[in-house]
Amino acid sequence: MQKSNLNNNNNVFMGCVGQDECAEIIRDEASKDGLVTLFQTTDRAHTAKCAVLLTDKNRSLVCHLGAAKLFSIDSLERCWPIVESSKLFYLTVCI
């Protein structure tokens, strides 16, 4: 994970992960950087993975969305007070 200026647990990462080793790695690495994780967990898919291909100044991403596609409105609604109190948020949607 790229080092960032995270502090005071003011940064939150929400999404859906599988019940697998990749989810644990994401939780552990995010925690080391002070990032709070509010993950929905599913046994219906594996945690998403993304490979970055670099050539000279070009890059390509190859992604398997996995559990990320299963993030539910219910999970978002449970976390909505955090979104409402945020000064800034970034959202991507898989449909």
Side-chain angles (χ1 to χ4, degrees):
M1 205 175 261
Q2 184 178 5
K3 210 59 165 155
S4 58
N5 294 322
L6 303 177
N7 56 40
N8 300 326
N9 290 331
N10 290 328
N11 300 279
V12 179
F13 181 30
M14 299 176 212
C16 185
V17 296
Q19 294 175 348
D20 53 35
E21 183 180 2
C22 289
E24 291 306 315
I25 291 169
I26 292 170
R27 279 188 187 96
D28 292 345
E29 293 300 316
S31 177
K32 287 178 189 176
D33 274 344
L35 186 62
V36 174
T37 56
L38 299 177
F39 289 140
Q40 172 186 344
T41 304
T42 184
D43 61 1
R44 295 179 19 218
H46 295 287
T47 301
K49 295 164 187 71
C50 184
V52 180
L53 309 173
L54 301 171
T55 48
D56 298 319
K57 294 183 180 183
N58 300 310
R59 69 172 181 234
S60 296
L61 303 175
V62 180
C63 298
H64 167 68
L65 297 176
K69 296 186 296 187
L70 301 176
F71 187 61
S72 69
I73 294 294
D74 290 341
S75 287
L76 181 59
E77 286 174 347
R78 281 192 293 277
C79 300
W80 196 249
I82 294 169
V83 175
E84 287 185 317
S85 67
S86 299
K87 292 180 182 175
L88 175 70
F89 62 92
Y90 173 78
L91 175 69
T92 60
V93 179
C94 301
I95 53 173

